[in-house]
Amino acid sequence: MPELVFFSGTMDCGKSTLALQIGHNRSARGLQGVIFTRDDRAGEGKLSSRLGLVTEAVEAGEGMDLYAYLVGQLSQGGKADYVIVDEAQFLGPDQIDQLARIVDDLGLDVFAFGITTDFRTKLFPGSQRLIELADRLEQLQVEALCWCGARATHNARTVDGEMVVEGEQVVVGDVNRPSGEVGYEVLCRRHHRKRMTSASAHAGALSPDVLPVNHA
């Protein structure tokens, strides 16, 4: 039976790499897929991983009907055996409904990859709808690590190395960005709550906190 599968995890845990691997494995068996993405770090119409792998994709812009696109491709003699969607958190809830319709009405497996929560720990609307509709939820087993070595569970947005908790939900950036640019970092819950990034932790190491002492 075809399925809508949502592979989720923090940034830097290998989601795009797995998406590329799934596409490669099926292509090697003679199957053809359609790849959708939005706002990939490599630019429009690209699916890329941090390992340097890149492939062409269809940019799923705001308002695009993904189901109608597939129907149009098939009606014109195209072939599609499966669908891969990367950066699925950026899709609108209506587009997630269209992915479910691709599974139910066209009989195609849909593999969606994305992060669940934003830098404020709030669910992305697209991810929320995937959680509601997916036949199967898969948490990626490759664990991203916080700077402290603990398992990273939260995504943080940074500016000049400092964590920010206000702003637009979607601002495209990446991990390990130079100072002065919007960047992202994965943190454990403890350090996300304390807003302690690797940069601020390093500064703190240079000037360690001193326990308060009461003098008589």
Side-chain angles (χ1 to χ4, degrees):
M1 292 289 291
E3 289 183 307
L4 172 57
V5 186
F6 181 31
F7 295 88
S8 67
T10 62
M11 293 182 298
D12 218 15
C13 72
K15 297 183 299 299
S16 297
T17 301
L18 179 58
L20 289 163
Q21 185 68 55
I22 286 176
H24 171 76
N25 289 352
R26 280 159 175 73
S27 177
R29 298 295 180 267
L31 301 176
Q32 295 182 26
V34 173
I35 300 174
F36 292 110
T37 189
R38 182 188 290 183
D39 294 335
D40 188 271
R41 66 184 73 84
E44 184 173 323
K46 304 288 184 182
L47 166 56
S48 67
S49 80
R50 293 189 177 89
L51 298 182
L53 304 173
V54 184
T55 192
E56 297 297 319
V58 178
E59 186 73 14
E62 185 176 353
M64 179 181 181
D65 189 324
L66 308 184
Y67 177 82
Y69 179 89
L70 259 297
V71 170
Q73 293 293 302
L74 296 171
S75 299
Q76 296 172 20
K79 183 182 179 184
D81 298 302
Y82 61 92
V83 174
I84 289 174
V85 185
D86 198 32
E87 307 293 358
Q89 73 274 3
F90 295 146
L91 299 184
D94 57 331
Q95 291 175 311
I96 304 303
D97 288 344
Q98 293 157 16
L99 294 180
R101 190 178 179 191
I102 289 171
V103 175
D104 296 339
D105 294 358
L106 301 182
L108 303 180
D109 283 315
V110 175
F111 306 102
F113 298 80
I115 58 180
T116 53
T117 58
D118 63 17
F119 68 105
R120 301 165 301 184
T121 70
K122 304 297 184 182
L123 282 169
F124 282 99
S127 298
Q128 178 177 335
R129 193 62 178 146
L130 273 166
I131 293 170
E132 293 166 348
L133 290 184
D135 297 294
R136 185 157 49 94
L137 303 174
E138 295 285 348
Q139 185 77 24
L140 267 67
Q141 298 302 308
V142 178
E143 294 183 347
L145 299 178
C146 177
W147 60 264
C148 69
R151 184 170 72 90
T153 54
H154 291 68
N155 304 298
R157 180 182 294 171
T158 61
V159 177
D160 285 328
E162 295 294 324
M163 180 174 158
V164 296
V165 294
E166 295 182 354
E168 296 291 328
Q169 186 175 50
V170 178
V171 176
V172 178
D174 202 354
V175 296
N176 301 321
R177 283 293 181 99
S179 296
E181 296 186 28
V182 173
Y184 290 91
E185 183 174 345
V186 289
L187 299 173
C188 64
R189 185 182 64 230
R190 174 170 174 258
H191 287 126
H192 192 279
R193 286 194 305 104
K194 294 185 174 184
R195 303 185 188 179
M196 187 176 290
T197 65
S198 58
S200 60
H202 177 68
L206 297 178
S207 301
D209 291 334
V210 178
L211 290 175
V213 177
N214 291 326
H215 295 282

